[in-house]
Each structure stands twice: as structure tokens, then as C-alpha cells.
Amino acid sequence: MAHPTGESIEGSLRLDFDRRLKLEFHGSRITSDAGLLAYRELDDALGLSAMAGDMLADTRTGRNGRHALVGLLRQSVFGRLAGYEDVNDADRLRHDPAMRWIVGGKAASGAAASPSQMGRFETRWLTAEKNLSALTDLSGRWIDRVHGRRPPRGIVLDMDSSVSPTHGEQELSVWNGHFECTCYHPLFVFNQFGDLERSALRPGNVHSADGWHDVLDPVVARYRGKVSHIYFRADAAFAMPGVYEYLEDKRIKYAIRLPANRVLQERIGHLLKRPVGRPPNHVRRSHASFNYQAGSWTKPRRVIAKVEWHPGELVPRVGFIVTNLSRPAERVVAFYNQRGTAEQWIKEGKGAIRWTRLSCRSFVANSVRLQLHALAYNLGNFLRTLATPEPIRDWSLTSLKEKLIKIGAKVVSHGRYIAFQMAEVAVPRTLFAEILRLIADLRPRSPPLPA
């Protein structure tokens, strides 16, 4: 039986292949997630948790609130960042020394929140309408704080939907014929830095663009007047007159993939004829630009066509983009193609943060879980884009989790301080020190003292 503080009370284990080896378990004195302390330093430098504490309402009654609401939020977000996406993980995680110091307050000298406390926090307190609304806005507020340290001249917004398969009786979990599974169908908006601007959980059987306005409009409103240009990219699911008209009304430049039809094919018929002669061993690519007005459109719009003849293929690959950009066709296509990075960020969210783990029974509780996953993703991405030295600048969130977060450390208590004696394997001391230096540069500068 485990000791309440995480220590083993049954002695060491021996290995038969070499009897000189002993295995001892010291749960409250050893952590496998010491690298999380760098993310907590970044959190403190940017004031992210403090902002959340100002936005969330504590609906608890009585005087039995052992942990502050902001501490519970840290345990939820940092736990997900380290790969502990279930409430039940708190049974062990509450004794982890790194997590206890990250949560702070009474947890530092005792224990972090228990599974029952975390369950009430995520499924009862955060599901209150006011708190869920604040939680949904929090990712954007965090990004605004980051942009205060790294002001962008322009913002590129990529909107895309994804699939979160479900495996139980979750509310509004519905069969989706396109994905061929029972699922939820969340919607995401990213910026060019990979930050998740806003997300929304939706039932599994809705159209890919369903609810686009409710997700996109708050993001656009935040940037209005703050940046010189806003750009928008999306796939063919968002090729709708309402989307075009909204973007044009807001003076947003856009590039959206347009589904092919007979009229569009006829406009580029001269490019679809197979070239005469022996085909080369490289891709032959051509572009066209013309005005086009579909029956549901109120006015003509510019359409870019790209035609590619690939070696060994009898028919060309054809794509159309509707846009209000004035740049040359080749540059419009290159700009649109960068939208593929949003799909990569969704894959990172699924792989590193596991934001498809939406296993609560109620839809609103799963909506809360998605927003907590979004905050964990953004915190991880902030460190990647703001505080990673050159040798690890290209690491994915998965690599950062496996090599930076998962640093083992022994905790030694002294009279005046606590020492985390960290292993030097993938991230040596010099590299970790550089991460902390970059984070220190993000702190607000104190005004000089008067002479």
C-alpha cells in the first residue's frame, strides 16, 4: 500500500541480473517532470495565471477551499502539458514535488488537489456559464499578453475543423460519415505563430464551417485597431458567400480554397490540355487569374487557378482559390499553401497535449476540457516561440515534453530553500539556463529610480 505522501513503505526492490542494484521509490522526493518549472517561470513572467484568477469567479461556498482557484487551474493546465489529461491522475500527481510548487500556496508544503477536488473544479465550477465564457476568452487574453512583449505588424488567421473521436455515451457525440466515427467536431483558429486564438466544441455531425462567425468574430474584434493588417485562410469548407462578405466588410484580406465546378474548369480549359511531347521528370506548374461570380454571390471575385502536371500522371491536379489579394497568382498560391501549418498544429495538439481526450458525460464539461487543453497548448507554444535557444528552436511540442518537461530530479530540502537536483541528459544546465534567461527578458522592466 502506498504511503500518503507518495513514499514506499515496503523497502527496496532487487534485480536478479545484478544483485548490486536496488530500486527505491521516493514519490514525494523525486519528480519526473522538473522541466515544468521552466513553464511556471514563463507563466509568472507573463502573468498568465494571475490574469486567469482575475477572470474566473470562485463559486465555492463555505470555508473549505483548501486551494485557490488559480492553483487548481495551474494543476489542470500544467498537468495536461506534462501528459496527465485525466482527473484521476491527480491521485499521484498531487504528491509530485514539481506540481506542488507549481500549484503553490498550501500545496507547496502539503499536497496539491485530489481527484475529487479536481473533478469538482472542472465539471462543476468551470462549467458555470460565466466561467466557461471567461475560459473561452482566456486564450486570446494570454496571446494579447504575449504580443505585448512581441508586437506583430500583421496577423494571419487560419481556421480549420478537426475530429475528436468518442468512445462512450458522451452528450452530443454523433456519428460523422466523413470521419467514419462517433465523435465531436471542434473548430479552431490559429495565428501565424502557432498560438490557438480560439476554439469551440461542436457536436459530431455539424458542417465543418458551422458556427464560424461566433469563433472568428471575437478574434477579429480583439485585433481591430491593434495591427495594420489581418489575413485569413481556410479550406473549401469555408467557401461561402457569408464568409467572403464578412471578411470584405472587416477589410480582411483572405485566400480560401474554392471547390471546382464546370464553369471554373472551362475558364482554364487551355491549361488542362495535355502538353505535346515527351513529359519531363519534374512537375510542370501553371497559374491563371480571372474574375468569377457564382450564382449565390452578389458580385464577381478574383479566382486563382493552379494546374500541376506530375510525372507519370495522365490528368493534372487542379486547385482554385478565391481571394481579394492583389498580389501575383503565384504568390497567392504560396500564401494559401502555408495554411498547412495549421493542420500540423492540430496534430501537435492531438499528439502532445492529447486534446481529443474528451471523456466526460456532459457536453459542457467536455467544452471545459477542450479549453483547458487549449491553454496547455498555448503555454507550451509560448515557451517554444519565445524562450527556446537556437539548438532546440525547431523542437516540436512533443519533443519539448519528452526532453524538457520530463527531466528527472531529486528534491533536497534545506533550511532556507528547496533544491531540485536535475538530471543532465537531453537538456544540460547551460541550455536550461539560457531558457531561463530568455524568460527573464520577458518580464516588465522596472522604471529607473529617480536620481
Side-chain angles (χ1 to χ4, degrees):
M1 181 177 179
H3 191 272
T5 61
E7 303 294 334
S8 172
I9 59 175
E10 297 182 358
S12 59
L13 302 178
R14 303 299 292 266
L15 298 172
D16 287 336
F17 80 89
D18 193 327
R19 299 296 291 179
R20 293 173 296 178
L21 299 180
K22 296 168 61 177
L23 305 181
E24 297 182 353
F25 294 81
H26 303 280
S28 63
R29 288 183 284 163
I30 301 291
T31 179
S32 60
D33 302 308
L36 277 179
L37 298 171
Y39 292 84
R40 179 65 181 90
E41 183 75 356
L42 178 65
D43 169 32
D44 185 68
L46 297 175
L48 304 180
S49 293
M51 180 192 300
D54 294 337
M55 294 176 61
L56 297 175
D58 195 342
T59 60
R60 293 175 290 181
T61 59
R63 300 181 180 179
N64 59 349
R66 175 176 173 81
H67 300 289
L69 201 68
V70 68
L72 297 172
L73 181 71
R74 287 196 196 108
Q75 188 168 337
S76 285
V77 172
F78 282 81
R80 284 170 167 80
L81 188 58
Y84 306 105
E85 71 276 5
D86 285 331
V87 168
N88 290 340
D89 291 321
D91 190 36
R92 285 288 183 182
L93 199 60
R94 65 195 300 250
H95 300 298
D96 183 89
M99 182 57 66
R100 289 192 288 111
W101 282 97
I102 285 169
V103 171
K106 297 178 180 178
S109 57
S114 66
S116 60
Q117 289 173 312
M118 294 305 300
R120 288 192 297 271
F121 171 68
E122 294 188 8
T123 63
R124 185 183 304 174
W125 303 328
L126 290 184
T127 54
E129 183 177 356
K130 182 178 180 180
N131 277 341
L132 179 54
S133 176
L135 200 64
T136 304
D137 292 336
L138 193 54
S139 284
R141 299 289 187 88
W142 279 14
I143 293 170
D144 287 343
R145 184 65 59 86
V146 169
H147 287 171
R149 311 295 199 276
R150 180 192 58 190
R153 292 195 302 175
I155 287 293
V156 181
L157 301 176
D158 291 308
M159 177 170 274
D160 205 354
S161 64
S162 184
V163 58
S164 290
T166 54
H167 307 282
E169 299 296 329
Q170 290 98 317
E171 184 181 12
L172 298 183
S173 169
V174 188
W175 175 264
N176 187 299
H178 175 74
F179 297 115
E180 297 184 345
C181 67
T182 302
C183 63
Y184 288 125
H185 194 184
L187 186 61
F188 303 98
V189 178
F190 294 89
N191 62 31
Q192 72 266 36
F193 306 108
D195 304 324
L196 179 52
E197 293 275 356
R198 199 172 183 90
S199 59
L201 190 65
R202 305 176 300 174
N205 61 348
V206 301
H207 184 267
S208 294
D210 188 73
W212 66 268
H213 184 273
D214 294 338
V215 176
L216 180 62
D217 191 56
V219 179
V220 172
R222 278 183 28 243
Y223 285 116
R224 182 60 59 194
K226 296 180 180 179
V227 295
S228 57
H229 297 94
I230 303 177
Y231 301 88
F232 179 84
R233 297 183 295 218
D235 63 17
F238 300 86
M240 302 184 298
V243 177
Y244 311 146
E245 293 166 3
Y246 170 84
L247 297 171
E248 290 161 357
D249 180 65
K250 300 294 185 181
R251 297 183 179 181
I252 297 173
K253 299 296 183 180
Y254 62 83
I256 302 174
R257 188 174 182 86
L258 190 65
N261 59 42
R262 180 182 56 82
V263 177
L264 293 174
Q265 298 276 5
E266 290 175 352
R267 294 293 300 270
I268 59 169
H270 62 289
L271 299 177
L272 302 181
K273 296 179 181 179
R274 186 172 181 82
V276 178
R278 186 181 183 89
N281 292 324
H282 62 269
V283 177
R284 287 175 291 184
R285 187 177 293 108
S286 55
H287 301 84
S289 175
F290 54 89
N291 287 334
Y292 166 77
Q293 182 174 358
S296 59
W297 297 4
T298 58
K299 65 178 183 180
R301 292 183 171 89
R302 186 188 185 197
V303 171
I304 304 296
K306 181 184 71 171
V307 179
E308 293 182 342
W309 291 90
H310 287 251
E313 298 183 6
L314 297 177
V315 295
R317 303 180 188 181
V318 182
F320 297 95
I321 298 171
V322 58
T323 183
N324 60 353
L325 291 165
S326 58
R327 62 186 66 174
E330 294 85 349
R331 290 182 57 194
V332 173
V333 171
F335 171 74
Y336 173 79
N337 287 344
Q338 293 172 4
R339 192 197 69 83
T341 55
E343 298 178 359
Q344 181 62 35
W345 294 324
I346 289 176
K347 290 179 181 178
E348 284 203 316
K350 291 180 176 180
I353 309 299
R354 300 179 186 175
W355 66 31
T356 57
R357 188 63 179 259
L358 305 174
S359 52
C360 291
R361 179 62 182 268
S362 72
F363 182 79
V364 67
N366 284 319
S367 296
V368 167
R369 286 180 64 85
L370 180 63
Q371 299 305 326
L372 291 171
H373 284 301
L375 295 175
Y377 168 87
N378 277 332
L379 181 58
N381 195 60
F382 293 160
L383 188 133
R384 175 171 61 177
T385 58
L386 295 173
T388 48
E390 184 63 35
I392 63 172
R393 189 153 294 168
D394 295 328
W395 281 11
S396 66
L397 292 186
T398 300
S399 295
L400 286 170
K401 182 176 76 171
E402 294 176 349
K403 298 178 181 180
L404 174 61
I405 293 178
K406 298 297 181 181
I407 294 178
K410 178 182 178 182
V411 183
V412 179
S413 299
H414 298 275
R416 291 180 295 176
Y417 58 87
I418 306 295
F420 280 75
Q421 298 177 348
M422 304 173 72
E424 280 191 285
V425 185
V427 180
R429 182 190 185 281
T430 53
L431 199 57
F432 204 97
E434 180 64 11
I435 293 173
L436 295 182
R437 186 195 65 79
L438 292 171
I439 293 173
D441 289 342
L442 298 172
R443 292 186 179 277
R445 298 300 181 188
S446 302
L449 297 175

